[in-house]
Amino acid sequence: MKFIVPAVLLLVAAIHVLPLVGVLGASKLSSLYGIEVQEPNLEILLRHRAVLFGLLAALLTYCAFQPQLHRLGLVAAFVSVATFLAFAQIVGGYNSLLATVVRVDIIALVLLIIGGAVHVLRPSAA
């Protein structure tokens, strides 16, 4: 039981580290998201987004090994995943590569719900 929350955090960190390759430029961003990144402002925003995902992945990894930070990691990951899924639902019309991201984030959300439940329900001594 005590390994469930760290495992969830590490799995979700792995999901969040994948977009980090986007820092390498427009061609990597295009292959990640299936969009042409020809406009410099969009490239700046998406490359910065990639860095933020890398930071979040690092935070989640750190939180996985610090039991007192499990809640912080779960909340940070939940906010990231839930807001992306909400935006995808509200805006709609996304391409097949973003549909894959949506499916992966649904899996991440399920993992986070399980991890959050275990975190809340487990005895504090565990």
Side-chain angles (χ1 to χ4, degrees), residues 30-86:
S30 293
S31 66
L32 278 172
Y33 302 119
I35 58 173
E36 290 301 316
V37 183
Q38 297 176 346
E39 209 273 321
N41 296 301
L42 181 60
E43 182 179 347
I44 292 166
L45 290 169
L46 288 175
R47 288 176 83 178
H48 184 254
R49 177 183 185 275
V51 170
L52 293 176
F53 272 118
L55 286 172
L56 180 57
L59 173 69
L60 297 178
T61 300
Y62 182 74
C63 289
F65 295 102
Q66 304 296 323
Q68 70 276 16
L69 297 178
H70 284 175
R71 180 176 298 164
L72 172 67
L74 290 167
V75 169
F78 182 84
V79 169
S80 174
V81 170
T83 56
F84 176 79
L85 290 173

Coordinates of all heavy atoms in Angstrom, one line a residue, residues 30-86:
S30 N 6.1 20.1 -33.7 CA 5.2 19.7 -34.7 C 4.9 18.2 -34.6 O 3.8 17.7 -34.8 CB 5.7 20.1 -36.1 OG 5.7 21.5 -36.2
S31 N 6.0 17.4 -34.4 CA 5.8 16.0 -34.3 C 5.1 15.6 -33.0 O 4.4 14.6 -33.0 CB 7.2 15.3 -34.4 OG 8.0 15.6 -33.3
L32 N 5.2 16.4 -32.0 CA 4.5 16.0 -30.7 C 3.0 16.3 -30.8 O 2.2 15.5 -30.4 CB 5.0 16.9 -29.6 CG 6.3 16.5 -28.9 CD1 6.7 17.6 -27.9 CD2 6.1 15.2 -28.1
Y33 N 2.6 17.4 -31.5 CA 1.3 17.9 -31.4 C 0.5 17.9 -32.8 O -0.6 18.2 -32.8 CB 1.2 19.3 -30.8 CG 1.8 19.3 -29.4 CD1 2.9 20.1 -29.1 CD2 1.3 18.5 -28.4 CE1 3.5 20.1 -27.8 CE2 1.8 18.5 -27.1 CZ 2.9 19.3 -26.9 OH 3.5 19.3 -25.6
G34 N 1.3 17.6 -33.8 CA 0.6 17.5 -35.1 C 0.2 18.9 -35.7 O -0.8 19.0 -36.4
I35 N 0.9 19.9 -35.3 CA 0.6 21.2 -35.8 C 1.8 21.9 -36.3 O 2.9 21.5 -35.9 CB 0.0 22.1 -34.6 CG1 1.0 22.2 -33.5 CG2 -1.3 21.6 -34.1 CD1 0.6 23.2 -32.4
E36 N 1.7 22.7 -37.3 CA 2.8 23.5 -37.8 C 3.1 24.6 -36.9 O 2.2 25.5 -36.6 CB 2.5 24.0 -39.3 CG 2.4 22.8 -40.3 CD 3.7 22.0 -40.4 OE1 4.8 22.6 -40.4 OE2 3.6 20.8 -40.4
V37 N 4.3 24.7 -36.4 CA 4.7 25.8 -35.6 C 5.7 26.7 -36.4 O 6.9 26.6 -36.3 CB 5.4 25.2 -34.3 CG1 5.8 26.3 -33.3 CG2 4.6 24.2 -33.6
Q38 N 5.0 27.6 -37.1 CA 5.8 28.5 -38.0 C 5.8 29.9 -37.4 O 6.6 30.7 -37.8 CB 5.2 28.5 -39.4 CG 5.3 27.1 -40.1 CD 4.6 27.1 -41.4 OE1 3.9 27.9 -41.8 NE2 4.9 26.0 -42.2
E39 N 4.9 30.2 -36.5 CA 4.8 31.5 -36.0 C 5.7 31.6 -34.7 O 5.6 30.7 -33.8 CB 3.4 31.8 -35.6 CG 2.9 33.2 -35.7 CD 3.2 33.9 -34.4 OE1 3.0 33.3 -33.3 OE2 3.6 35.1 -34.4
P40 N 6.6 32.5 -34.6 CA 7.6 32.6 -33.5 C 7.0 32.7 -32.2 O 7.5 32.1 -31.2 CB 8.4 33.9 -33.8 CG 8.2 34.2 -35.2 CD 6.9 33.6 -35.6
N41 N 5.9 33.4 -32.0 CA 5.2 33.6 -30.7 C 4.7 32.2 -30.2 O 4.8 31.9 -29.1 CB 4.1 34.6 -30.8 CG 4.6 36.0 -31.1 OD1 5.4 36.5 -30.4 ND2 4.2 36.5 -32.2
L42 N 4.1 31.4 -31.1 CA 3.6 30.1 -30.8 C 4.8 29.2 -30.4 O 4.7 28.5 -29.4 CB 2.8 29.5 -31.9 CG 2.3 28.1 -31.7 CD1 1.3 28.1 -30.5 CD2 1.6 27.6 -33.0
E43 N 5.9 29.3 -31.1 CA 7.1 28.5 -30.8 C 7.6 28.8 -29.4 O 7.9 27.9 -28.6 CB 8.2 28.6 -31.8 CG 9.4 27.7 -31.5 CD 10.5 27.8 -32.5 OE1 10.3 28.4 -33.6 OE2 11.6 27.3 -32.2
I44 N 7.7 30.1 -29.1 CA 8.2 30.5 -27.8 C 7.3 30.0 -26.7 O 7.7 29.4 -25.7 CB 8.2 32.1 -27.7 CG1 9.4 32.6 -28.6 CG2 8.5 32.5 -26.2 CD1 9.3 34.1 -28.9
L45 N 5.9 30.1 -26.9 CA 5.0 29.6 -25.9 C 5.1 28.1 -25.7 O 5.1 27.6 -24.5 CB 3.6 30.1 -26.2 CG 3.3 31.5 -26.1 CD1 1.9 31.9 -26.8 CD2 3.3 32.0 -24.7
L46 N 5.1 27.4 -26.8 CA 5.2 25.9 -26.7 C 6.5 25.4 -26.1 O 6.5 24.4 -25.4 CB 4.9 25.3 -28.0 CG 3.4 25.4 -28.5 CD1 3.2 24.9 -29.9 CD2 2.5 24.7 -27.6
R47 N 7.6 26.1 -26.5 CA 8.9 25.6 -25.9 C 8.9 25.9 -24.4 O 9.4 25.1 -23.6 CB 10.0 26.3 -26.7 CG 10.2 25.7 -28.1 CD 11.2 26.4 -28.9 NE 12.5 25.9 -28.5 CZ 13.7 26.3 -29.1 NH1 13.6 27.2 -30.0 NH2 14.8 25.7 -28.8
H48 N 8.4 27.0 -24.0 CA 8.3 27.4 -22.6 C 7.4 26.4 -21.9 O 7.7 25.9 -20.8 CB 7.8 28.8 -22.4 CG 7.8 29.2 -21.0 ND1 6.6 29.3 -20.2 CD2 8.8 29.5 -20.1 CE1 6.9 29.7 -19.0 NE2 8.2 29.8 -18.9
R49 N 6.3 26.0 -22.5 CA 5.4 25.0 -22.0 C 6.2 23.6 -21.7 O 6.0 23.0 -20.7 CB 4.2 24.8 -22.9 CG 3.2 23.7 -22.5 CD 2.2 23.6 -23.7 NE 1.1 22.6 -23.3 CZ 1.2 21.3 -23.5 NH1 2.3 20.8 -24.0 NH2 0.2 20.6 -23.1
A50 N 7.0 23.3 -22.7 CA 7.8 22.1 -22.5 C 8.7 22.1 -21.3 O 8.9 21.2 -20.6 CB 8.7 21.9 -23.8
V51 N 9.3 23.3 -21.1 CA 10.2 23.5 -19.9 C 9.3 23.3 -18.6 O 9.8 22.6 -17.7 CB 10.9 24.9 -19.9 CG1 11.6 25.1 -18.6 CG2 11.9 24.9 -21.1
L52 N 8.2 23.9 -18.6 CA 7.3 23.8 -17.4 C 6.9 22.4 -17.2 O 6.8 21.9 -16.0 CB 6.1 24.7 -17.6 CG 6.4 26.2 -17.6 CD1 5.1 27.0 -17.8 CD2 7.0 26.6 -16.3
F53 N 6.6 21.6 -18.2 CA 6.3 20.2 -18.0 C 7.5 19.4 -17.5 O 7.4 18.6 -16.6 CB 5.9 19.5 -19.4 CG 4.4 19.6 -19.6 CD1 3.9 20.3 -20.7 CD2 3.5 19.0 -18.7 CE1 2.5 20.4 -20.9 CE2 2.1 19.1 -18.9 CZ 1.7 19.8 -20.0
G54 N 8.7 19.8 -17.9 CA 9.9 19.2 -17.3 C 10.0 19.5 -15.9 O 10.4 18.6 -15.0
L55 N 9.8 20.7 -15.5 CA 9.8 21.1 -14.1 C 8.8 20.4 -13.3 O 9.0 19.9 -12.1 CB 9.6 22.6 -13.9 CG 10.8 23.5 -14.3 CD1 10.4 25.0 -14.3 CD2 12.0 23.3 -13.4
L56 N 7.6 20.3 -13.8 CA 6.5 19.5 -13.1 C 6.9 18.1 -12.9 O 6.7 17.5 -11.9 CB 5.2 19.6 -13.8 CG 4.0 18.9 -13.2 CD1 3.8 19.4 -11.8 CD2 2.7 19.1 -14.0
A57 N 7.5 17.5 -14.0 CA 8.0 16.1 -13.9 C 9.0 15.9 -12.8 O 9.0 15.0 -12.0 CB 8.5 15.6 -15.2
A58 N 9.9 16.9 -12.7 CA 11.0 16.9 -11.7 C 10.3 17.0 -10.3 O 10.7 16.3 -9.4 CB 12.0 18.0 -11.9
L59 N 9.4 17.9 -10.1 CA 8.7 18.0 -8.9 C 8.0 16.8 -8.5 O 8.1 16.3 -7.3 CB 7.7 19.2 -8.9 CG 6.8 19.4 -7.7 CD1 7.6 19.8 -6.5 CD2 5.6 20.3 -8.0
L60 N 7.3 16.2 -9.4 CA 6.5 14.9 -9.1 C 7.5 13.8 -8.7 O 7.2 13.0 -7.8 CB 5.7 14.5 -10.3 CG 4.6 15.5 -10.7 CD1 3.8 14.9 -11.9 CD2 3.6 15.8 -9.5
T61 N 8.6 13.7 -9.4 CA 9.6 12.7 -9.0 C 10.1 12.9 -7.6 O 10.2 12.0 -6.8 CB 10.8 12.7 -10.1 OG1 10.2 12.5 -11.4 CG2 11.8 11.7 -9.7
Y62 N 10.5 14.2 -7.3 CA 10.9 14.5 -5.9 C 9.9 14.2 -4.9 O 10.2 13.5 -3.9 CB 11.3 16.0 -5.9 CG 11.9 16.4 -4.5 CD1 13.2 16.0 -4.2 CD2 11.2 17.1 -3.6 CE1 13.7 16.3 -2.9 CE2 11.7 17.5 -2.4 CZ 12.9 17.1 -2.1 OH 13.5 17.4 -0.8
C63 N 8.6 14.6 -5.2 CA 7.5 14.3 -4.2 C 7.3 12.8 -4.0 O 6.9 12.4 -2.9 CB 6.2 15.0 -4.7 SG 6.2 16.8 -4.6
A64 N 7.6 12.0 -5.0 CA 7.4 10.6 -4.9 C 8.3 10.0 -3.8 O 7.9 9.0 -3.2 CB 7.7 9.9 -6.2
F65 N 9.4 10.6 -3.6 CA 10.4 10.0 -2.6 C 10.3 10.8 -1.3 O 11.1 10.5 -0.4 CB 11.8 10.1 -3.2 CG 11.9 9.2 -4.4 CD1 11.9 9.7 -5.7 CD2 12.0 7.8 -4.2 CE1 12.0 8.8 -6.8 CE2 12.1 6.9 -5.3 CZ 12.1 7.5 -6.6
Q66 N 9.4 11.7 -1.1 CA 9.2 12.5 0.1 C 7.8 12.3 0.6 O 6.9 13.1 0.1 CB 9.6 14.0 -0.1 CG 10.9 14.2 -0.7 CD 12.0 13.8 0.2 OE1 11.9 14.0 1.4 NE2 13.1 13.3 -0.3
P67 N 7.5 11.4 1.5 CA 6.1 11.1 1.9 C 5.4 12.4 2.3 O 4.2 12.5 2.1 CB 6.3 10.1 3.0 CG 7.5 9.4 2.7 CD 8.4 10.4 2.1
Q68 N 6.1 13.3 3.0 CA 5.4 14.5 3.4 C 5.0 15.4 2.2 O 4.2 16.3 2.4 CB 6.3 15.3 4.4 CG 7.5 15.9 3.8 CD 8.7 15.0 3.7 OE1 8.6 13.8 3.8 NE2 9.9 15.6 3.5
L69 N 5.5 15.1 1.0 CA 5.1 15.9 -0.1 C 4.2 15.2 -1.1 O 3.9 15.7 -2.2 CB 6.4 16.4 -0.9 CG 7.4 17.3 -0.1 CD1 8.6 17.6 -0.9 CD2 6.7 18.5 0.3
H70 N 3.7 14.0 -0.7 CA 2.8 13.3 -1.6 C 1.6 14.1 -2.0 O 1.2 14.1 -3.2 CB 2.4 12.0 -1.0 CG 3.5 10.9 -1.0 ND1 3.3 9.7 -0.4 CD2 4.7 10.9 -1.6 CE1 4.4 9.0 -0.6 NE2 5.3 9.7 -1.3
R71 N 1.0 14.8 -1.0 CA -0.2 15.5 -1.3 C 0.1 16.7 -2.3 O -0.7 16.9 -3.2 CB -0.8 16.1 0.0 CG -2.0 17.0 -0.3 CD -2.7 17.4 1.0 NE -3.0 16.3 1.8 CZ -3.3 16.3 3.1 NH1 -3.3 17.4 3.7 NH2 -3.7 15.2 3.7
L72 N 1.2 17.4 -2.1 CA 1.6 18.4 -3.0 C 1.7 17.9 -4.4 O 1.2 18.5 -5.4 CB 2.9 19.1 -2.6 CG 3.5 20.1 -3.6 CD1 2.7 21.3 -3.7 CD2 4.9 20.4 -3.1
G73 N 2.4 16.8 -4.6 CA 2.6 16.2 -5.9 C 1.3 15.8 -6.5 O 1.0 16.0 -7.7
L74 N 0.4 15.1 -5.7 CA -0.9 14.7 -6.3 C -1.7 15.9 -6.7 O -2.3 15.9 -7.8 CB -1.6 13.9 -5.2 CG -1.0 12.5 -4.9 CD1 -1.7 11.9 -3.6 CD2 -1.2 11.5 -6.1
V75 N -1.7 16.9 -5.9 CA -2.5 18.1 -6.3 C -2.0 18.8 -7.5 O -2.7 19.2 -8.4 CB -2.6 19.1 -5.1 CG1 -3.2 20.5 -5.5 CG2 -3.4 18.5 -3.9
A76 N -0.6 19.0 -7.6 CA 0.0 19.6 -8.7 C -0.3 18.8 -10.0 O -0.7 19.4 -11.0 CB 1.5 19.8 -8.5
A77 N -0.2 17.5 -9.9 CA -0.4 16.7 -11.1 C -1.9 16.7 -11.5 O -2.3 16.8 -12.7 CB 0.0 15.3 -10.9
F78 N -2.8 16.7 -10.5 CA -4.2 16.7 -10.7 C -4.6 18.0 -11.4 O -5.4 18.0 -12.4 CB -5.0 16.5 -9.4 CG -6.5 16.5 -9.7 CD1 -7.1 15.3 -10.0 CD2 -7.2 17.6 -9.5 CE1 -8.5 15.3 -10.2 CE2 -8.6 17.6 -9.7 CZ -9.2 16.4 -10.1
V79 N -4.1 19.1 -11.0 CA -4.4 20.4 -11.6 C -4.0 20.4 -13.0 O -4.7 20.8 -13.9 CB -3.8 21.6 -10.8 CG1 -3.9 22.9 -11.5 CG2 -4.5 21.7 -9.4
S80 N -2.8 20.0 -13.3 CA -2.2 19.9 -14.6 C -3.1 19.1 -15.6 O -3.5 19.5 -16.6 CB -0.8 19.4 -14.6 OG -0.3 19.2 -16.0
V81 N -3.4 17.9 -15.1 CA -4.1 16.9 -16.0 C -5.6 17.4 -16.1 O -6.1 17.4 -17.2 CB -4.1 15.5 -15.4 CG1 -5.0 14.6 -16.0 CG2 -2.6 15.0 -15.5
A82 N -6.2 17.8 -15.0 CA -7.6 18.1 -15.1 C -7.9 19.4 -15.9 O -8.8 19.4 -16.7 CB -8.2 18.3 -13.7
T83 N -7.0 20.4 -15.8 CA -7.2 21.6 -16.6 C -7.0 21.3 -18.1 O -7.8 21.8 -18.9 CB -6.3 22.7 -16.2 OG1 -4.9 22.3 -16.2 CG2 -6.6 23.2 -14.8
F84 N -6.0 20.4 -18.5 CA -5.8 20.1 -19.9 C -7.1 19.4 -20.4 O -7.6 19.7 -21.5 CB -4.6 19.2 -20.1 CG -4.5 18.8 -21.5 CD1 -4.0 19.6 -22.5 CD2 -4.9 17.5 -21.9 CE1 -3.9 19.3 -23.8 CE2 -4.8 17.1 -23.2 CZ -4.3 18.0 -24.2
L85 N -7.6 18.4 -19.6 CA -8.7 17.7 -20.1 C -10.0 18.6 -20.2 O -10.8 18.5 -21.1 CB -9.0 16.5 -19.1 CG -8.0 15.4 -19.2 CD1 -8.3 14.3 -18.1 CD2 -8.0 14.7 -20.6
A86 N -10.1 19.5 -19.2 CA -11.2 20.5 -19.3 C -11.1 21.3 -20.5 O -12.1 21.5 -21.3 CB -11.2 21.3 -18.0

